[in-house]
Amino acid sequence: GAVVSQHPSWVICKSGTSVKIECRSLDFQATTMFWYRQFPKQSLMLMATSNEGSKATYEQGVEKDKFLINHASLTLSTLTVTSAHPEDSSFYICSARDRGEQFFGPGTRLTVL
Amino acid sequence: AQSVTQLDSQVPVFEEAPVELRCNYSSSVSVYLFWYVQYPNQGLQLLLKYLSGSTLVKGINGFEAEFNKSQTSFHLRKPSVHISDTAEYFCAVSASNNFNKFYFGSGTKLNVKP
């Protein structure tokens, strides 16, 4: 099946700094990618839909100025957590669709100190 | 909107025993249903999916699931588990008219003991 990668796999940062997470479709082109967030022992929650060449669509309750999404090419979407705080610590997972099936990245664990 | 409940956060089972992981969903519209598996430090891998047709769906690695509309359930089963089945399992639902939006359960950790 198709492969989606994420980088970094884990990151630790200080409160107030910004962190960028990359999501790449390795062997297919993805005009649409999706960003999820997962708290410990909780569901994956869809944060936003990333559209190549246009603005992302955010789910209700997700701050678009806090979580900046850029989908500059057909194989890369980035999520930037701006001015991160400890409550932003979470597991972030991206996915992309290829021929009707969703493929998920391995996730990025963000810890904000 | 849709929602998914996985009642069991952890399921311990001995090798070669059968297992059932429970999933119930809520939706006001028709749905598609999925089971994903996540091994440590890896992405989610699709085990099986129900889109339409036969309510008994067979997936990879010997897993199967049955869609029960009246009970709004989509339980995952395997007749004989292996040590290698130890992983986290997620049930997910999407509205059939909005395939982009997935709603996930909180996951069930299957722990297969020798």
Side-chain angles (χ1 to χ4, degrees):
Chain A
V3 178
V4 175
S5 71
Q6 283 184 240
H7 178 81
S9 56
W10 59 271
V11 57
I12 301 173
C13 70
K14 293 182 178 180
S15 185
T17 61
S18 295
V19 174
K20 180 184 285 187
I21 302 170
E22 295 184 347
C23 176
R24 293 182 186 273
S25 56
L26 296 186
D27 49 2
F28 67 101
Q29 293 183 331
T31 55
T32 305
M33 292 184 174
F34 306 89
W35 286 97
Y36 293 83
R37 181 175 181 177
Q38 184 182 26
F39 290 106
K41 299 184 179 180
Q42 293 189 30
S43 300
L44 282 75
M45 301 292 293
L46 180 64
M47 298 174 65
T49 302
S50 171
N51 304 297
E52 187 266 337
S54 65
K55 291 182 179 180
T57 304
Y58 291 82
E59 295 300 303
Q60 190 173 7
V62 177
E63 301 175 60
K64 60 180 181 181
D65 295 329
K66 173 77 170 176
F67 299 99
L68 299 179
I69 291 173
N70 185 286
H71 195 152
S73 78
L74 288 171
T75 59
L76 173 65
S77 174
T78 60
L79 169 69
T80 301
V81 183
T82 62
S83 186
H85 289 99
E87 57 266 30
D88 298 324
S89 298
S90 190
F91 194 55
Y92 294 88
I93 300 175
C94 71
S95 72
R97 283 186 64 182
D98 182 37
R99 286 169 284 185
E101 185 172 332
Q102 291 262 10
F103 294 91
F104 290 83
T108 298
R109 185 159 305 281
L110 170 63
T111 301
V112 184
L113 302 177
Chain B
Q2 290 72 45
S3 67
V4 178
T5 301
Q6 291 181 248
L7 290 172
D8 306 305
S9 59
Q10 293 190 56
V11 173
V13 63
F14 287 106
E15 194 173 18
E16 296 184 5
V19 71
E20 178 181 84
L21 305 184
R22 296 181 293 169
C23 171
N24 288 89
Y25 70 92
S26 173
S27 176
S28 57
V29 299
S30 59
V31 296
Y32 297 151
L33 293 155
F34 308 82
W35 274 101
Y36 287 88
V37 60
Q38 186 177 35
Y39 299 102
N41 301 314
Q42 294 187 30
L44 298 175
Q45 180 184 5
L46 181 66
L47 275 178
L48 48 80
K49 60 186 175 185
Y50 171 78
L51 302 181
S52 65
S54 173
T55 57
L56 182 62
V57 180
K58 293 189 183 296
I60 62 172
N61 301 341
F63 284 94
E64 64 179 33
E66 186 156 18
F67 170 55
N68 188 319
K69 189 174 181 180
S70 62
Q71 297 187 7
T72 60
S73 67
F74 191 56
H75 300 332
L76 181 70
R77 301 186 185 98
K78 186 169 183 178
S80 176
V81 294
H82 303 289
I83 296 287
S84 59
D85 292 323
T86 295
E88 188 92 26
Y89 291 80
F90 292 94
C91 182
V93 64
S94 71
S96 58
N97 60 358
N98 187 358
F99 185 61
N100 281 336
K101 193 170 286 192
F102 275 47
Y103 296 88
F104 285 86
S106 54
T108 298
K109 177 66 185 300
L110 177 64
N111 187 12
V112 182
K113 303 176 182 179

